[in-house]
Amino acid sequence: MSSENSAIIIGGGLAGLVAAYELSQRKIPSIIIDQENDGNLGGQAFWSLGGIFIVNSAEQRRLGIKDSKELALADWMNTAKFDREKEDYWPRQWAKAFVDFAADGMEEYVKGRGMGFVGSVGWAERGGGSASGHGNSVPRFHLTWGTGPEVVRVFEEPVRAAAKEGLITFKFRHRVDRLLLDDSGAAIGVQGCILEPSDVVRGASSSRKEVDKFTLYGSAILVSSGGIGGNVSLVQKNWPTDRLGPSVPKNFVVGVPAHVDGRMLEIAEDAGANIVNADRMWHYTEGLQNWDPIWPMHGIRVIPGPSSMWLDATGKRLPPFLYPGCDTLATLKHICSTGHDYTWFVLNKTIIQREFGLSGSEQNPDVTGKSWYLLLWRILGSNPPVESFMNHGKDFVVRSTLPELVEGMNILAKQADGPALDLDTVRREIDIRDAQVDNKYTKDAQLMLINNARNYFPDKISRVAKPHKLLDHKHGPLIAVKMNLLTRKSLGGLETDLDANVRRPDGSKFPNLYAAGEVAGFGGGGVHGYSSLEGTFLGGCIFSGRTAGIAISEQLSKQFST
């Protein structure tokens, strides 16, 4: 079958893989175009922790978690806070469709591909203390046994098998520069440059030297090229100072490879596609400079338990309910309001051993390698990746006494052109908090959060440390961690209907043009609204890629039959 009868998929990340898988299941040929080499198939998903948002799963029920589609949808809408009549028209519908799938189809779909989960369900984005506000009411973060590489594998293997059968063609080191349209305005192909061969390792920056041109025609075009997180200048350009101001942060660490550059957004827009909610983004507040980087400015996110004391750059404790793991966007807004782009965690050895996780498949060799032995050692307090950051990371200070700790923090603050911390101010914040530990009850909201978290049995035995005084020498040494802003996800993007068909600015369909994954705001141009519940990015790529693959299959099947 000629390429004109194929679907062209721009971007071999997770959404593109899922779409190609669905097309191959229906014997529809496809061509996957990617500017990186063969070793980068699967894109950002490979580097992920592998969390999937699922509602009322077997794992939840086994742990006694009472979840429902109605509760999940209420949490989603209270978190998304959709408030734009036109730009949120399709995202609202995608949100309901995604939650429906998370409750009724996601578990069966991914397990049917061969994916499995760690027995404990994580509780991400625990909220801001209001039942009607942001956050997950119950744990819903299902950690894939094998992390990101396993998420990629279960779709990559059947896609590569289909390629051997001739149903799928790969065009690596091909960069799309233009969408081709016919006289009616329908998408019919792509043009671009062939880049010189590259054998750099997955995630590393590759050459952009052009060696040739190419043109490909297809019956449908799917854009699944990812977001803008690797392009700091574009992140800063889209920064919403009205909501996350008063100024654009100057310093970030970068959570995704450089090829996550957002180029296809502008290319699609130039062709007539509509972009919505570009000012909505999801960046983390607990970023570390990677001491062993793979891509430029490589940052790693800390996935914290709730016990670390969080101080701003001046040494003041962040207000309720801006505690670790509670409300990422509200915390980001507060940090930006201080005029500084970093904060501090103050904790001790007991807390870091129990509560510090690092995002990224390479930072979790136990789960990535499917080793129950290593996972047990981690639960018992041995975490080599965290220990490596403590020994080599530029953002860590480990000292025996508080004066020594603050002295070390001030060395890092000076390097960041930040304010010097006052020992008495830091000590006062810690002493006020520690005084609340003497009784089982407290007026401190963070300690209430900790006690509540420990009511969830998996958190109690493996994730959340028993409340204790930070300055208790039995739990030392003391540790301070400089937390940087970390770029990650685009929450807006190409506007799509419920078939993943791209829309034009006037609301009409863009014939033959589809979008899935982060480039489409994970569905509709912004299925998350302003904020995320976590586990919804990989889940969003799977759901939107599946939706696009099925819709394109139906369109092309009708065309081929006539």
Side-chain angles (χ1 to χ4, degrees), residues 73 77 100 136 147 165 170 185 248 266 285 287-288 308 365 380 391 402 420 516 520:
L73 184 61
M77 293 304 183
D100 286 346
N136 284 296
T147 68
E165 296 175 4
F170 295 110
V248 178
E266 183 176 356
T285 54
L288 304 176
S308 297
L380 294 175
N391 293 329
L402 187 60

PDB file of all heavy atoms in Angstrom, residues 73 77 100 136 147 165 170 185 248 266 285 287-288 308 365 380 391 402 420 516 520:
ATOM      1  N   LEU A  73     -14.454  12.486  39.255  1.00  0.00           N
ATOM      2  CA  LEU A  73     -14.842  13.600  38.391  1.00  0.00           C
ATOM      3  C   LEU A  73     -14.975  14.890  39.194  1.00  0.00           C
ATOM      4  O   LEU A  73     -14.582  15.970  38.727  1.00  0.00           O
ATOM      5  CB  LEU A  73     -16.154  13.284  37.677  1.00  0.00           C
ATOM      6  CG  LEU A  73     -16.627  14.339  36.666  1.00  0.00           C
ATOM      7  CD1 LEU A  73     -15.604  14.521  35.554  1.00  0.00           C
ATOM      8  CD2 LEU A  73     -17.980  13.953  36.073  1.00  0.00           C
ATOM      9  N   MET A  77     -12.783  18.208  38.347  1.00  0.00           N
ATOM     10  CA  MET A  77     -13.362  19.521  38.031  1.00  0.00           C
ATOM     11  C   MET A  77     -12.971  20.571  39.062  1.00  0.00           C
ATOM     12  O   MET A  77     -12.740  21.742  38.724  1.00  0.00           O
ATOM     13  CB  MET A  77     -14.882  19.401  37.920  1.00  0.00           C
ATOM     14  CG  MET A  77     -15.346  18.560  36.729  1.00  0.00           C
ATOM     15  SD  MET A  77     -14.697  19.199  35.155  1.00  0.00           S
ATOM     16  CE  MET A  77     -15.483  18.090  33.982  1.00  0.00           C
ATOM     17  N   ASP A 100     -14.161   8.867  32.738  1.00  0.00           N
ATOM     18  CA  ASP A 100     -14.941   7.672  32.410  1.00  0.00           C
ATOM     19  C   ASP A 100     -14.019   6.513  32.034  1.00  0.00           C
ATOM     20  O   ASP A 100     -14.203   5.371  32.494  1.00  0.00           O
ATOM     21  CB  ASP A 100     -15.900   7.947  31.245  1.00  0.00           C
ATOM     22  CG  ASP A 100     -17.102   8.794  31.651  1.00  0.00           C
ATOM     23  OD1 ASP A 100     -17.338   8.941  32.867  1.00  0.00           O
ATOM     24  OD2 ASP A 100     -17.790   9.315  30.751  1.00  0.00           O
ATOM     25  N   ASN A 136      -6.540  15.069  45.080  1.00  0.00           N
ATOM     26  CA  ASN A 136      -7.123  13.734  45.104  1.00  0.00           C
ATOM     27  C   ASN A 136      -7.698  13.433  46.480  1.00  0.00           C
ATOM     28  O   ASN A 136      -6.985  13.511  47.484  1.00  0.00           O
ATOM     29  CB  ASN A 136      -6.049  12.692  44.773  1.00  0.00           C
ATOM     30  CG  ASN A 136      -5.698  12.648  43.299  1.00  0.00           C
ATOM     31  OD1 ASN A 136      -6.533  12.311  42.468  1.00  0.00           O
ATOM     32  ND2 ASN A 136      -4.460  12.999  42.979  1.00  0.00           N
ATOM     33  N   THR A 147       8.371   0.935  35.705  1.00  0.00           N
ATOM     34  CA  THR A 147       8.338   2.388  35.477  1.00  0.00           C
ATOM     35  C   THR A 147       8.168   2.715  33.986  1.00  0.00           C
ATOM     36  O   THR A 147       7.580   1.956  33.226  1.00  0.00           O
ATOM     37  CB  THR A 147       9.557   3.104  36.091  1.00  0.00           C
ATOM     38  OG1 THR A 147      10.751   2.745  35.390  1.00  0.00           O
ATOM     39  CG2 THR A 147       9.703   2.780  37.568  1.00  0.00           C
ATOM     40  N   GLU A 165       5.930  -6.634   9.747  1.00  0.00           N
ATOM     41  CA  GLU A 165       4.894  -7.109   8.835  1.00  0.00           C
ATOM     42  C   GLU A 165       4.605  -6.109   7.721  1.00  0.00           C
ATOM     43  O   GLU A 165       3.800  -6.388   6.829  1.00  0.00           O
ATOM     44  CB  GLU A 165       3.606  -7.378   9.618  1.00  0.00           C
ATOM     45  CG  GLU A 165       3.718  -8.493  10.650  1.00  0.00           C
ATOM     46  CD  GLU A 165       2.452  -8.636  11.477  1.00  0.00           C
ATOM     47  OE1 GLU A 165       1.470  -7.914  11.187  1.00  0.00           O
ATOM     48  OE2 GLU A 165       2.439  -9.457  12.411  1.00  0.00           O
ATOM     49  N   PHE A 170       9.106   3.380   9.959  1.00  0.00           N
ATOM     50  CA  PHE A 170       9.759   4.390  10.796  1.00  0.00           C
ATOM     51  C   PHE A 170      10.596   5.314   9.919  1.00  0.00           C
ATOM     52  O   PHE A 170      11.313   4.868   9.021  1.00  0.00           O
ATOM     53  CB  PHE A 170      10.673   3.730  11.838  1.00  0.00           C
ATOM     54  CG  PHE A 170       9.951   2.900  12.852  1.00  0.00           C
ATOM     55  CD1 PHE A 170      10.071   1.518  12.846  1.00  0.00           C
ATOM     56  CD2 PHE A 170       9.159   3.483  13.820  1.00  0.00           C
ATOM     57  CE1 PHE A 170       9.422   0.733  13.783  1.00  0.00           C
ATOM     58  CE2 PHE A 170       8.496   2.718  14.763  1.00  0.00           C
ATOM     59  CZ  PHE A 170       8.622   1.340  14.742  1.00  0.00           C
ATOM     60  N   GLY A 185      -8.037  22.898   1.866  1.00  0.00           N
ATOM     61  CA  GLY A 185      -7.528  23.148   3.217  1.00  0.00           C
ATOM     62  C   GLY A 185      -7.329  21.908   4.050  1.00  0.00           C
ATOM     63  O   GLY A 185      -6.992  21.997   5.240  1.00  0.00           O
ATOM     64  N   VAL A 248       8.496  36.803  35.351  1.00  0.00           N
ATOM     65  CA  VAL A 248       8.838  35.482  34.828  1.00  0.00           C
ATOM     66  C   VAL A 248      10.100  34.984  35.523  1.00  0.00           C
ATOM     67  O   VAL A 248      11.096  35.712  35.592  1.00  0.00           O
ATOM     68  CB  VAL A 248       9.070  35.551  33.309  1.00  0.00           C
ATOM     69  CG1 VAL A 248       9.466  34.183  32.769  1.00  0.00           C
ATOM     70  CG2 VAL A 248       7.819  36.065  32.604  1.00  0.00           C
ATOM     71  N   GLU A 266       3.791  25.679  16.564  1.00  0.00           N
ATOM     72  CA  GLU A 266       3.816  26.820  15.650  1.00  0.00           C
ATOM     73  C   GLU A 266       3.580  26.378  14.206  1.00  0.00           C
ATOM     74  O   GLU A 266       2.878  27.057  13.443  1.00  0.00           O
ATOM     75  CB  GLU A 266       5.163  27.540  15.753  1.00  0.00           C
ATOM     76  CG  GLU A 266       5.263  28.784  14.881  1.00  0.00           C
ATOM     77  CD  GLU A 266       6.576  29.541  15.063  1.00  0.00           C
ATOM     78  OE1 GLU A 266       7.376  29.131  15.938  1.00  0.00           O
ATOM     79  OE2 GLU A 266       6.786  30.517  14.326  1.00  0.00           O
ATOM     80  N   THR A 285       8.049  22.389  41.691  1.00  0.00           N
ATOM     81  CA  THR A 285       8.730  23.297  42.619  1.00  0.00           C
ATOM     82  C   THR A 285       9.815  22.596  43.426  1.00  0.00           C
ATOM     83  O   THR A 285      10.439  23.219  44.269  1.00  0.00           O
ATOM     84  CB  THR A 285       7.696  23.893  43.596  1.00  0.00           C
ATOM     85  OG1 THR A 285       6.975  22.822  44.224  1.00  0.00           O
ATOM     86  CG2 THR A 285       6.721  24.793  42.870  1.00  0.00           C
ATOM     87  N   GLY A 287      12.709  20.798  42.213  1.00  0.00           N
ATOM     88  CA  GLY A 287      13.682  20.339  41.237  1.00  0.00           C
ATOM     89  C   GLY A 287      15.105  20.357  41.758  1.00  0.00           C
ATOM     90  O   GLY A 287      15.519  21.282  42.455  1.00  0.00           O
ATOM     91  N   LEU A 288      15.859  19.330  41.399  1.00  0.00           N
ATOM     92  CA  LEU A 288      17.276  19.235  41.743  1.00  0.00           C
ATOM     93  C   LEU A 288      18.114  19.322  40.475  1.00  0.00           C
ATOM     94  O   LEU A 288      17.720  18.815  39.419  1.00  0.00           O
ATOM     95  CB  LEU A 288      17.582  17.898  42.429  1.00  0.00           C
ATOM     96  CG  LEU A 288      16.799  17.526  43.682  1.00  0.00           C
ATOM     97  CD1 LEU A 288      17.187  16.119  44.125  1.00  0.00           C
ATOM     98  CD2 LEU A 288      17.067  18.526  44.797  1.00  0.00           C
ATOM     99  N   SER A 308       8.865  17.168  55.400  1.00  0.00           N
ATOM    100  CA  SER A 308       9.913  18.187  55.337  1.00  0.00           C
ATOM    101  C   SER A 308       9.333  19.566  55.607  1.00  0.00           C
ATOM    102  O   SER A 308       8.236  19.897  55.152  1.00  0.00           O
ATOM    103  CB  SER A 308      10.582  18.172  53.955  1.00  0.00           C
ATOM    104  OG  SER A 308      11.229  16.952  53.713  1.00  0.00           O
ATOM    105  N   PRO A 365      16.059   2.265  40.287  1.00  0.00           N
ATOM    106  CA  PRO A 365      16.514   0.999  39.716  1.00  0.00           C
ATOM    107  C   PRO A 365      15.772  -0.213  40.260  1.00  0.00           C
ATOM    108  O   PRO A 365      15.710  -1.245  39.588  1.00  0.00           O
ATOM    109  CB  PRO A 365      18.001   0.958  40.093  1.00  0.00           C
ATOM    110  CG  PRO A 365      18.125   1.878  41.273  1.00  0.00           C
ATOM    111  CD  PRO A 365      17.118   2.954  41.030  1.00  0.00           C
ATOM    112  N   LEU A 380      13.219  -0.410  53.702  1.00  0.00           N
ATOM    113  CA  LEU A 380      13.936  -0.501  54.972  1.00  0.00           C
ATOM    114  C   LEU A 380      14.908   0.667  55.176  1.00  0.00           C
ATOM    115  O   LEU A 380      15.549   0.750  56.228  1.00  0.00           O
ATOM    116  CB  LEU A 380      14.693  -1.829  55.043  1.00  0.00           C
ATOM    117  CG  LEU A 380      13.805  -3.089  55.091  1.00  0.00           C
ATOM    118  CD1 LEU A 380      14.669  -4.341  55.037  1.00  0.00           C
ATOM    119  CD2 LEU A 380      12.948  -3.083  56.352  1.00  0.00           C
ATOM    120  N   ASN A 391      25.517  12.922  48.325  1.00  0.00           N
ATOM    121  CA  ASN A 391      26.976  12.957  48.271  1.00  0.00           C
ATOM    122  C   ASN A 391      27.513  13.849  47.156  1.00  0.00           C
ATOM    123  O   ASN A 391      28.584  14.459  47.304  1.00  0.00           O
ATOM    124  CB  ASN A 391      27.527  11.535  48.078  1.00  0.00           C
ATOM    125  CG  ASN A 391      27.269  10.646  49.278  1.00  0.00           C
ATOM    126  OD1 ASN A 391      27.224  11.118  50.411  1.00  0.00           O
ATOM    127  ND2 ASN A 391      27.096   9.351  49.040  1.00  0.00           N
ATOM    128  N   LEU A 402      22.316  22.885  63.597  1.00  0.00           N
ATOM    129  CA  LEU A 402      21.586  23.886  62.832  1.00  0.00           C
ATOM    130  C   LEU A 402      22.474  25.060  62.406  1.00  0.00           C
ATOM    131  O   LEU A 402      22.373  25.500  61.249  1.00  0.00           O
ATOM    132  CB  LEU A 402      20.379  24.380  63.627  1.00  0.00           C
ATOM    133  CG  LEU A 402      19.428  25.316  62.864  1.00  0.00           C
ATOM    134  CD1 LEU A 402      18.864  24.613  61.626  1.00  0.00           C
ATOM    135  CD2 LEU A 402      18.291  25.788  63.761  1.00  0.00           C
ATOM    136  N   ALA A 420      20.725  36.045  52.212  1.00  0.00           N
ATOM    137  CA  ALA A 420      21.334  35.262  53.284  1.00  0.00           C
ATOM    138  C   ALA A 420      20.277  34.922  54.323  1.00  0.00           C
ATOM    139  O   ALA A 420      19.416  35.744  54.658  1.00  0.00           O
ATOM    140  CB  ALA A 420      22.477  36.059  53.918  1.00  0.00           C
ATOM    141  N   ALA A 516      -2.646  14.365  19.478  1.00  0.00           N
ATOM    142  CA  ALA A 516      -2.769  13.571  20.703  1.00  0.00           C
ATOM    143  C   ALA A 516      -1.560  13.813  21.584  1.00  0.00           C
ATOM    144  O   ALA A 516      -0.500  14.224  21.124  1.00  0.00           O
ATOM    145  CB  ALA A 516      -2.890  12.081  20.365  1.00  0.00           C
ATOM    146  N   ALA A 520      -1.537  18.364  22.378  1.00  0.00           N
ATOM    147  CA  ALA A 520      -2.964  18.694  22.408  1.00  0.00           C
ATOM    148  C   ALA A 520      -3.452  18.930  23.832  1.00  0.00           C
ATOM    149  O   ALA A 520      -4.651  18.818  24.103  1.00  0.00           O
ATOM    150  CB  ALA A 520      -3.771  17.572  21.760  1.00  0.00           C
TER     151      ALA A 520
END
